[in-house]
Amino acid sequence: MGHHPVDILRFNTCGSVDDGKSTLIGRLLYDSKSLMEDQIEALERSADITGGGQINLANLTDGLRAEREQGITIDVAYRYFATPRRKFIIADTPGHVQYTRNMVTGASAANLSIVLIDARLGVIEQSRRHTCIASLLRIPHLVVAVNKMDLVDWSEARFIEICDQFNEFLPRLDIKDVKFIPMSALNGDNLVEPSVHTPWYVGPTLLGHLETVHIASDWNLNGFRFPVQWVNRPNNPTDRHLHDFRGFSGQIAGGIVRVGQKVMALPGGQITTVKEIWTLDGPLQEAFCPQSVTLVLEHDIDISRGNMIIGLDQLPGTGMDLHAQVCWMHPRPLQRGKKYFLKHTSNTVQAMVTEIDHRINMATLVPEPAPAELVLNDIGEIRIRTAKPLVYDGYATNRLTGSFILIEQGTNATVAAGMLLPSEQLVRPESGDYVI
Amino acid sequence: MSSYHLDHLQHLESEAIHVMREVAGEFERPALLFSGGKDSICLLRLAEKAFRPAEIPMPFLNIETGHEFPELIDFRDRRAKQLGAKLIIRTVDAAIARGDAIPKPGVVSRNQLQTPVLLGAIEEFKFDCCIGGARRDEEKARAKERFFSFRDGFGQWDPKNQRPEIWNLYNARLNQGENMRVFPLSNWTEMDVWEYIRKEKLEVPTIYFSHERDCFRRGGQWLPEPPAHADATKPDPYAGARPTEKEPIKRLVVRVRTIADMISTGMIESKVHSFDDIISEIAAARVTERGSRADDKASEAAMEDRKKAGYF
């Protein structure tokens, strides 16, 4: 059919106000011919009314009235486009200091982050903060878009200077793949088509890079992890084969599972065998992350939502005392001794913050020990005690089984995004009492 | 390695199934909004994928404006029956009769009147969650929507105060009276929906394919001629939506690209007879799907305003 993207790349854009994020996205959509006539018409209409006749590509993504009035982006906006090679999901995340939580929201599921830098200003605190968040969230790929190069006369020296500024603090972070691209989002240089102004730049255009960056290994295929979301038990089935059907439904959060494989159900610790991998499209012999399936097990074990079924190699950690990095997302500060709900995979438990080890100074990226509290947009390391043991991996090993959110009791506000450090204690398969 | 690869539709499907199962796991009284339109047709297949071989653990809910295409109603009822699901229908007509919905003088479209009817149904059945087929690519205000979209006791959406949504961890906790709208198709585009319908060989209402129909030109669009006014003892439900003398009827070969009701759906001139044709037509289209929706043209913030008030 010719319209078959082979996979999905999720990316987010971040930068300071006026770095031109929305312009960059608008330009990508425009130049890749993903914009429709009525959208362009609407742009022209608002240009006549508010823009003095000048078409503003940022109006494409700034969807809310307050944003158009104030000329800023106040929430995460999602945009979609596809080329014959890939489908793209863009999270446009705002650069305002007070909206950093939205960047975490937009970036958490991303394969790639674009950090925009104004070539005139170079690397500023916001650039450091955004890069630091991308590193904390373990986003596998980073693009440093050195924008507004037209305003520095397409100076290669300036470009190299900014790359050097960036490379200065990069070793302190955990980012493996970084690409620097000189561009002008407003004029479309090096976005879709190579720019005539940068003969000294031999790398790909932004879209060229987005289309080809290798993301197949971004999913974790080591260590089978299956958080149970829902127990599948048909009531009064007309099909006699289904009378005793008892399946466990969920999305594979890591690794591969095969029929006949030994698995363990946690927290119970019972070991059994996978009898069937049920899907509406027929049974599978094996399934892998991130497929959604229903597992039927050999033995009748008590398993419910919030439990985890795991493979016997590469065991996860377990415990009630957690050590984690958090991004605080609420105006009410995090305080020691306060109780929250903690949602981890499909499991929600009560939890108490017992210690605040440090908060990261975003200007220097240096941890400052023992702060009294973490406030909105702070990133720090904390200790948590949960009411029940959690089964988890370090976030660096598995983003899905190593992440959690904290929910404030009473208001139910989501107040923190958490990334777990590896547990010192692993699940022990030889606790043979439970083996069936 | 290459065998452990999902294409974009498989990714979107798995994500949507995960969202549906979170709804089943977290809420006590969820409902699924099913209109018979293409997006909610995908929702139904995803519900089958999420919950079979068990029953789909929630009823279907539809809010009728009273101006629906008859083809859509037939299809909706038949499909719900096939799946063995309970279908709850609440109508704008009944709400107007009760005084729960009050039409604005001179406004024929009942699009906005669906909101109080939906909120009434949520209250009547104590639904704590409604799954809807909205997609972020449809409209600018929708682009800011979460998968789990929190609504306060008045059903209102507050775009500036949304819960951050991180990884695939959805905060589904509610207090009394609050509820959640959940959108499993958030990351799908119009093209994804049709490619999925083709891949899954799903039935769709016949009006998505080209057919002959009497239309008239209004507001730059071809609108379908409403059905004849059958019961003269009652006021004409299409009063004001019928063609005037200056709007001659023309017999055209048309189809719908998006379905609201007969008053707010523009028909597009088209000759498509298969899913392949539809997909090729969308790929070549130069206007968005919503370009044919009169309800969205009201103003630049039309959707934002309706969503704040509790719209789907």
Side-chain angles (χ1 to χ4, degrees):
Chain A
M1 276 302 106
H3 309 294
H4 257 291
V6 289
D7 55 11
I8 295 181
L9 178 89
R10 295 169 197 249
F11 68 93
N12 76 303
T13 51
C14 34
S16 308
V17 178
D18 297 332
D19 275 350
K21 292 178 305 295
S22 298
T23 307
L24 179 130
I25 292 175
R27 194 85 223 181
L28 269 181
L29 297 174
Y30 192 83
D31 288 359
S32 63
K33 307 202 169 29
S34 311
L35 278 185
M36 300 292 174
E37 278 165 13
D38 53 328
Q39 291 173 306
I40 295 170
E41 232 176 73
L43 279 180
E44 284 167 351
R45 210 161 45 228
S46 68
D48 288 340
I49 297 163
T50 55
Q54 180 92 26
I55 288 190
N56 184 358
L57 284 169
N59 272 352
L60 269 178
T61 56
D62 295 342
L64 303 175
R65 188 182 284 135
E67 297 173 291
R68 288 191 295 275
E69 285 164 5
Q70 296 167 35
I72 54 161
T73 308
I74 58 170
D75 205 306
V76 187
Y78 294 90
R79 291 288 147 193
Y80 303 84
F81 72 104
T83 68
R85 303 177 90 145
R86 260 183 189 156
K87 174 189 165 92
F88 298 96
I89 302 179
I90 317 171
D92 181 17
T93 48
H96 261 223
V97 179
Q98 64 267 40
Y99 294 117
T100 296
R101 66 172 201 163
N102 289 327
M103 169 175 168
V104 174
T105 303
S108 64
N111 307 90
L112 180 147
S113 266
I114 300 176
V115 173
L116 270 118
I117 290 183
D118 185 327
R120 294 167 302 176
L121 304 176
V123 176
I124 59 173
E125 184 186 333
Q126 279 287 334
S127 334
R128 270 188 252 271
R129 174 188 284 263
H130 291 141
T131 311
C132 175
I133 294 170
S135 156
L136 273 173
L137 290 169
R138 303 262 166 181
I139 296 169
H141 313 280
L142 187 78
V143 170
V144 181
V146 183
N147 193 25
K148 306 196 181 182
M149 283 296 294
D150 50 326
L151 301 181
V152 295
D153 298 325
W154 298 101
S155 157
E156 184 183 12
R158 182 59 182 152
F159 178 69
I160 291 171
E161 192 180 353
I162 289 168
C163 297
D164 289 345
Q165 285 175 1
F166 212 91
N167 281 323
E168 213 169 277
F169 72 94
L170 216 46
R172 274 175 276 168
L173 300 174
D174 208 342
I175 299 177
K176 291 178 202 92
D177 174 32
V178 185
K179 185 104 210 153
F180 295 90
I181 304 178
M183 64 177 64
S184 163
L186 193 61
N187 302 315
D189 288 272
N190 285 336
L191 250 70
V192 174
E193 300 294 332
S195 171
V196 294
H197 302 294
T198 52
W200 42 266
Y201 172 72
V202 291
T205 63
L206 179 62
L207 186 64
H209 183 63
L210 296 175
E211 280 187 317
T212 52
V213 60
H214 180 74
I215 55 168
S217 53
D218 290 357
W219 292 100
N220 186 330
L221 292 176
N222 302 310
F224 175 60
R225 303 285 183 268
F226 190 74
V228 175
Q229 289 184 273
W230 193 68
V231 180
N232 192 315
R233 298 198 69 172
N235 291 318
N236 310 313
T238 45
D239 182 347
R240 292 180 58 203
H241 293 105
L242 295 178
H243 269 290
D244 300 317
F245 188 92
R246 188 176 153 82
F248 304 101
S249 300
Q251 184 174 28
I252 300 172
I256 300 163
V257 63
R258 294 182 180 89
V259 172
Q261 177 185 335
K262 286 228 179 311
V263 292
M264 181 168 21
L266 293 168
Q270 306 96 324
I271 292 174
T272 181
T273 308
V274 176
K275 192 169 151 191
E276 190 183 350
I277 303 171
W278 199 97
T279 78
L280 187 71
D281 304 305
L284 300 176
Q285 277 309 301
E286 63 174 4
F288 54 93
C289 175
Q291 283 183 301
S292 287
V293 295
T294 295
L295 299 183
V296 181
L297 305 176
E298 200 65 56
H299 299 95
D300 200 6
I301 302 173
D302 178 24
I303 298 175
S304 53
R305 176 174 167 83
N307 294 169
M308 197 174 321
I309 298 170
I310 63 160
L312 299 186
D313 56 335
Q314 308 214 27
L315 295 167
T318 183
M320 297 168 71
D321 290 300
L322 313 177
H323 190 189
Q325 291 172 313
V326 293
C327 173
W328 197 253
M329 305 187 129
H330 200 268
R332 244 187 315 286
L334 172 145
Q335 282 160 341
R336 217 173 7 189
K338 197 167 166 182
K339 279 187 192 146
Y340 299 92
F341 291 114
L342 183 152
K343 185 170 182 184
H344 166 258
T345 65
S346 55
N347 188 19
T348 304
V349 296
Q350 295 230 42
M352 187 167 77
V353 175
T354 52
E355 249 359 287
I356 307 175
D357 286 0
H358 67 241
R359 73 178 278 279
I360 293 172
N361 180 323
M362 277 295 166
T364 60
L365 302 186
V366 173
E368 296 170 344
E373 56 184 26
L374 292 182
V375 302
L376 179 63
N377 296 313
D378 270 352
I379 287 171
E381 223 165 273
I382 63 170
R383 311 253 170 192
I384 299 170
R385 172 105 188 162
T386 55
K388 287 179 187 167
L390 229 57
V391 176
Y392 63 95
D393 292 286
Y395 183 78
T397 311
N398 188 320
R399 277 165 95 175
L400 297 176
T401 54
S403 54
F404 65 88
I405 55 173
L406 292 180
I407 299 167
E408 188 175 61
Q409 302 195 354
T411 64
N412 295 325
T414 303
V415 291
M419 289 144 279
L420 290 158
L421 296 166
S423 171
E424 281 151 29
Q425 188 194 336
L426 295 187
V427 166
R428 286 180 302 143
E430 65 275 18
S431 54
D433 299 357
Y434 299 102
V435 177
I436 294 173
Chain B
M1 278 299 290
S2 60
S3 63
Y4 300 118
H5 176 265
L6 300 181
D7 71 21
H8 70 298
L9 288 182
Q10 292 169 318
H11 262 289
L12 293 171
E13 179 188 70
S14 186
E15 175 182 77
I17 292 171
H18 174 258
V19 168
M20 289 230 168
R21 287 171 174 166
E22 281 300 282
V23 169
E26 293 266 11
F27 294 97
E28 280 170 22
R29 298 176 68 86
L32 191 153
L33 299 171
F34 178 54
S35 65
K38 64 182 190 314
D39 304 307
S40 59
I41 288 169
C42 288
L43 283 184
L44 257 50
R45 171 48 54 94
L46 291 163
E48 289 182 89
K49 296 225 177 186
F51 304 121
R52 292 297 188 222
E55 300 74 38
I56 297 171
M58 57 193 81
F60 300 165
L61 172 64
N62 184 223
I63 307 300
E64 281 186 7
T65 64
H67 296 148
E68 275 76 15
F69 287 90
E71 295 91 336
L72 197 72
I73 301 281
D74 290 348
F75 173 81
R76 178 197 68 190
D77 295 350
R78 188 156 41 80
R79 190 75 186 113
K81 207 168 167 187
Q82 278 171 2
L83 293 175
K86 183 183 174 192
L87 175 64
I88 299 168
I89 294 160
R90 288 295 174 267
T91 67
V92 172
D93 273 328
I96 290 174
R98 279 196 311 273
D100 293 345
I102 299 162
K104 281 187 199 161
V107 176
V108 195
S109 168
R110 290 172 166 182
N111 186 289
Q112 296 197 28
L113 295 178
Q114 288 175 286
T115 299
V117 184
L118 174 65
L119 298 182
I122 287 172
E123 204 171 303
E124 177 185 354
F125 294 97
K126 303 271 177 288
F127 290 133
D128 48 6
C129 172
C130 292
I131 296 179
R135 310 186 323 264
R136 287 174 182 150
D137 83 320
E138 283 178 84
E139 211 277 337
K140 284 204 287 192
R142 291 240 195 257
K144 314 247 149 168
E145 185 72 88
R146 305 287 199 254
F147 274 90
F148 278 54
S149 181
F150 173 80
R151 305 300 162 103
D152 66 14
F154 295 95
Q156 297 179 105
W157 181 59
D158 180 1
K160 284 194 186 181
N161 193 22
Q162 301 193 76
R163 292 176 177 176
E165 226 159 61
I166 314 134
W167 300 290
N168 61 354
L169 297 170
Y170 304 108
N171 175 357
R173 300 190 78 88
L174 296 174
N175 289 320
Q176 196 72 36
E178 299 168 344
N179 72 90
M180 201 71 84
R181 305 286 170 81
V182 173
F183 304 110
L185 306 181
S186 288
N187 281 331
W188 297 45
T189 62
E190 185 188 15
M191 181 64 94
D192 297 328
V193 164
W194 282 111
E195 286 188 340
Y196 191 70
I197 287 173
R198 177 175 67 180
K199 179 182 171 193
E200 294 290 322
K201 301 184 176 64
L202 299 176
E203 188 192 341
V204 301
T206 51
I207 51 176
Y208 280 114
F209 295 107
S210 299
H211 56 282
E212 279 193 26
R213 185 182 286 270
D214 289 331
C215 299
F216 65 99
R217 195 83 182 153
R218 183 177 288 179
Q221 306 200 66
W222 287 111
L223 294 178
E225 190 194 16
H229 183 205
D231 187 351
T233 62
K234 288 181 184 162
D236 179 6
Y238 289 95
R242 295 190 182 281
T244 64
E245 286 148 23
K246 288 179 187 160
E247 297 167 323
I249 297 278
K250 224 175 150 183
R251 186 107 182 136
L252 298 171
V253 176
V254 291
R255 68 179 202 92
V256 296
R257 186 164 163 197
T258 172
I259 306 179
D261 60 14
M262 290 191 82
I263 287 181
S264 26
T265 305
M267 312 294 295
I268 56 172
E269 293 191 79
S270 159
K271 286 188 180 141
V272 304
H273 301 286
S274 67
F275 292 142
D276 287 350
D277 291 347
I278 290 179
I279 286 167
S280 304
E281 189 180 275
I282 293 166
R286 291 314 305 151
V287 295
T288 62
E289 167 186 5
R290 289 253 160 192
S292 57
R293 288 279 282 261
D295 44 337
D296 289 337
K297 288 215 162 163
S299 83
E300 185 152 32
M303 177 65 87
E304 181 183 347
D305 292 340
R306 280 182 295 162
K307 281 173 63 63
K308 280 181 180 167
Y311 191 65
F312 301 115

